[in-house]
Amino acid sequence: MIKTKNYLILLLLFFNSYNITAKNKKNDILALLMNKPKELELVRFKVIPDYSQEVLEAEYRVPGNKAYKIERILHKKYGMAKIKHVCCIWETHPDGVIPATPQFNKRYKKYYKKAYIKVAMGAYETPIRRRKNWHKIPYFYVLVTVYDESRI
């Protein structure tokens, strides 16, 4: 039987290694696709199994007081819709499209035949309903999903 103390240490090691992997610069999709704003922090990266049309996914976060700047960049450069408050969350519809760059293709080409890259932004459930109060939301999240267009 695993002692509680040993179990907690193993759990901490697992989560620390996951975060190190997520923050690894080679998994920073946006850094390869754009001049990524320093306010965006990579928090999660995953390779999705072969049976899906989605092949890669990265999640970033930005503090609420910097969210407007990031929304503006993603809207103007990549066509992402402006964020709207729907029910109890902030979200975008439709997603923006980011073109693949040669650097991106060099790094990730083994996962797809032809990349289709979507970007969306939002915040989880919050009572904040007005844009002028975004600074009160701890984080907004940017989700970048890479699809293999040949599987669509």
Side-chain angles (χ1 to χ4, degrees):
M1 180 173 226
I2 298 176
K3 293 181 180 179
T4 305
K5 184 178 177 183
N6 292 342
Y7 179 73
L8 290 173
I9 291 170
L10 286 173
L11 199 58
L12 283 171
L13 287 172
F14 170 77
F15 282 112
N16 283 338
S17 68
Y18 175 80
N19 288 334
I20 290 167
T21 303
K23 293 179 182 178
N24 186 333
K25 287 189 179 201
K26 73 178 187 177
N27 294 331
D28 194 341
I29 290 175
L30 283 181
L32 295 171
L33 295 170
M34 64 187 289
N35 185 10
K36 186 183 89 174
K38 65 181 181 284
E39 294 87 355
L40 281 172
E41 174 192 3
L42 177 64
V43 293
R44 185 175 59 83
F45 171 85
K46 71 178 180 178
V47 176
I48 300 170
D50 289 339
Y51 54 84
S52 174
Q53 67 188 24
E54 298 173 2
V55 292
L56 301 167
E57 190 174 80
E59 183 178 23
Y60 299 82
R61 70 181 185 179
V62 60
N65 64 339
K66 306 287 185 184
Y68 178 74
K69 174 186 176 183
I70 301 304
E71 178 198 36
R72 193 174 64 238
I73 291 168
L74 296 175
H75 174 69
K76 286 184 174 183
K77 287 184 135 186
Y78 305 108
M80 183 188 81
K82 291 198 174 194
I83 299 171
K84 293 183 180 181
H85 189 266
V86 179
C87 178
C88 50
I89 63 172
W90 287 91
E91 63 182 353
T92 56
H93 287 287
D95 299 332
V97 178
I98 298 179
T101 61
Q103 299 89 344
F104 179 83
N105 282 330
K106 183 177 180 184
R107 170 73 180 98
Y108 294 114
K109 189 68 176 168
K110 65 183 175 183
Y111 297 108
Y112 58 84
K113 291 181 183 170
K114 186 174 179 188
Y116 178 76
I117 305 159
K118 289 174 53 171
V119 61
M121 184 174 172
Y124 296 122
E125 190 170 340
T126 177
I128 307 300
R129 300 178 68 100
R130 297 185 183 270
R131 284 177 165 267
K132 70 180 183 178
N133 292 327
W134 276 9
H135 65 280
K136 294 178 182 177
I137 299 173
Y139 290 102
F140 280 73
Y141 293 88
V142 174
L143 184 64
V144 178
T145 309
V146 179
Y147 295 88
D148 185 342
E149 202 169 358
S150 70
R151 298 181 199 178
I152 295 176

